């Protein structure tokens, strides 16, 4: 039987800490502000944006939503970002992805000031993460690390396997584990003998985007299993990348879906926005 690491509990703790720090900042005349841009009417993006706005209100931040129509041009989007880059009350800017196909995501990410890039997707922030000298960590991998720390799990010297190599989850996740002296293997769709590699892992992070992809025969007894996936199973029920029922009895620690990594992502976004407000106001 595994210990179930509750992202609900850990994220509530992080948010309470951010809220307390926000009150202190307010007493110094600074209220952290987050601008959230959404282009088009993707229902999943709408839910994420609403959750982010609600989280801002809960911790005491100001949030501004910029809901743009799906036919917004690249130039219109870039000039909005330029305006927000120069707006002192806004400390963090995030543009909800994915964008409609006619817009150039890379150019949009590059246009956000690195000091306001609370998603940590800008190449300058990605580079900083690589060398371990960063302002912000990308929210989902940072949330996974917070869960690992909350459970008192030691990463140093452990065999860590990250399944998935996306720029927003897999790659930075591997880097964060490496910074804590894990021996890290990154797996992807071209990886051969995935089962064998996973079976040797002390820590597995699944960021594949495939329902219940990680089965019990891929997990060794006592492994720590962190599930980033947010999928729907064949019945439309929310599920992760890990077959929780089968894997949980073998694992030492495991995160559930929902209630695991998911709530951490927004909590870490709040943490990054707070940090951005401090940086921009020269507050330690
Ligand atoms: P991507 O689709 O960008 O990346 C998926 C990765 O999984 C790719 O690197 C891909 O390999 C790899 N992969 C796919 N199939 C296999 C396979 N059969 N064997 C091994 N590797 C495979 O997804 P994201 O990284 O954006 O997201 C991953 C999951 O995490 C999704 O379910 C997403 O919804 C969820 N997510 C959750 C968040 C949260 O807040 N909890 C935040 C962000 C994402 P290749 O590169 O070769 O194609």
């Amino acid at each position: 039987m595994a210990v179930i690491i509750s992202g609900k509990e850990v994220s509530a703790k992080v948010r309470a800490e951010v809220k307390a720090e926000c009150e202190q900042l307010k007493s110094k005349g600074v209220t952290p502000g987050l601008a959230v841009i959404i282009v088009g009417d993707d229902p999943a993006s709408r839910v994420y944006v609403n959750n982010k706005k609600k989280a801002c209100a809960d911790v005491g931040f100001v949030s501004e939503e910029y809901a743009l129509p799906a036919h917004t041009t690249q130039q219109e989007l870039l000039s909005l970002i330029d305006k927000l880059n120069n707006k002192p009350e806004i400390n963090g800017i995030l543009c909800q992805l994915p964008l409609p196909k006619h817009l150039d995501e890379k150019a949009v990410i590059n246009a956000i000031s690195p000091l306001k890039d609370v998603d940590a997707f800008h190449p300058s922030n990605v580079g900083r993460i690589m060398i371990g000298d960063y302002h912000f960590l990308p929210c989902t991998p940072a949330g996974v690390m917070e869960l690992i720390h909350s459970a008192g799990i030691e990463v140093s010297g452990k065999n860590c396997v990250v399944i998935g190599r996306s720029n927003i989850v897999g790659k930075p996740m591997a880097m964060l584990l490496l910074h804590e002296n894990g021996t890290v293997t990154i797996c992807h769709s071209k990886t051969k003998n995935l089962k064998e590699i996973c079976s040797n892992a002390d820590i597995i992070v699944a960021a594949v985007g495939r329902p219940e992809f990680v089965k019990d025969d891929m997990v060794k007894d006592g492994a720590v299993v962190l599930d980033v996936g947010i999928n729907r199973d064949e019945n439309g029920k929310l599920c992760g990348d890990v077959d929780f029922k089968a894997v949980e009895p073998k694992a030492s620690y495991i995160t559930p879906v929902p209630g695991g990594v998911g709530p951490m992502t927004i909590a870490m976004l709040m943490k990054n926005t707070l940090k951005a407000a401090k940086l921009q106001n020269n507050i330690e």
Side-chain angles (χ1 to χ4, degrees):
M1 285 286 276
V3 173
I4 295 171
I5 310 175
S6 168
K8 264 193 200 162
E9 280 171 24
V10 180
S11 67
K13 198 166 152 261
V14 171
R15 280 155 75 147
E17 285 163 8
V18 171
K19 188 175 179 171
E21 273 205 63
C22 176
E23 270 165 29
Q24 282 180 14
L25 273 190
K26 280 181 173 171
S27 70
K28 294 177 180 153
V30 175
T31 301
L34 177 69
V36 184
I37 305 171
I38 175 170
V39 187
D41 43 20
D42 176 57
S45 291
R46 173 40 63 201
V47 172
Y48 291 135
V49 166
N50 288 349
N51 289 343
K52 287 168 187 174
K53 279 165 51 192
K54 187 177 174 303
C56 282
D58 287 348
V59 297
F61 296 175
V62 166
S63 71
E64 292 181 0
E65 179 185 313
Y66 295 85
L68 308 181
H71 57 74
T72 299
T73 65
Q74 182 79 9
Q75 196 44 51
E76 285 166 335
L77 183 52
L78 292 181
S79 48
L80 170 61
I81 291 172
D82 185 49
K83 200 178 89 186
L84 295 170
N85 280 340
N86 291 298
K87 189 169 180 179
E89 313 88 85
I90 289 300
N91 307 113
I93 303 169
L94 78 79
C95 189
Q96 188 65 46
L97 303 178
L99 290 169
K101 293 238 168 342
H102 68 282
L103 296 170
D104 178 355
E105 250 173 43
K106 228 196 245 176
V108 169
I109 289 170
N110 287 355
I112 296 174
S113 158
L115 281 179
K116 295 192 175 185
D117 170 39
V118 284
D119 266 335
F121 292 165
H122 190 286
S124 131
N125 286 324
V126 174
R128 281 179 160 272
I129 292 157
M130 190 78 152
I131 58 173
D133 171 24
Y134 45 78
H135 299 307
F136 312 114
L137 291 175
C139 301
T140 301
V144 172
M145 293 313 294
E146 192 81 24
L147 290 176
I148 290 176
H149 297 151
S150 76
I153 296 159
E154 182 65 53
V155 174
S156 184
K158 299 277 170 65
N159 280 336
C160 305
V161 170
V162 179
I163 319 175
R165 57 172 165 180
S166 70
N167 289 335
I168 62 167
V169 188
K171 281 184 206 161
M173 186 70 247
M175 202 50 64
L176 300 192
L177 291 164
L178 181 63
H179 287 327
E180 296 204 6
N181 302 317
T183 303
V184 186
T185 307
I186 306 174
C187 298
H188 46 78
S189 66
K190 308 288 185 294
T191 298
K192 295 191 174 119
N193 54 2
L194 179 70
K195 193 158 127 182
E196 191 190 321
I197 295 169
C198 290
S199 305
N200 281 318
D202 302 305
I203 298 175
I204 297 179
V205 181
V208 198
R210 291 179 176 235
E212 303 184 335
F213 179 83
V214 176
K215 301 289 181 195
D216 52 336
D217 62 359
M218 296 164 74
V219 176
K220 80 169 178 188
D221 280 328
V224 174
V225 182
L226 300 131
D227 190 350
V228 177
I230 302 177
N231 313 296
R232 298 270 167 197
D233 67 13
E234 65 275 15
N235 303 314
K237 205 171 148 247
L238 206 60
C239 71
D241 287 344
V242 175
D243 184 346
F244 185 89
K245 246 195 203 155
V247 170
E248 186 270 332
K250 286 185 89 176
S252 57
Y253 293 86
I254 191 166
T255 61
V257 177
V261 176
M264 294 306 296
T265 299
I266 291 188
M268 302 320 278
L269 174 67
M270 297 300 108
K271 213 169 164 173
N272 281 351
T273 306
L274 182 86
K275 177 101 185 268
K278 285 182 172 174
L279 277 171
Q280 287 155 42
N281 289 282
N282 299 313
I283 297 171
E284 281 296 303

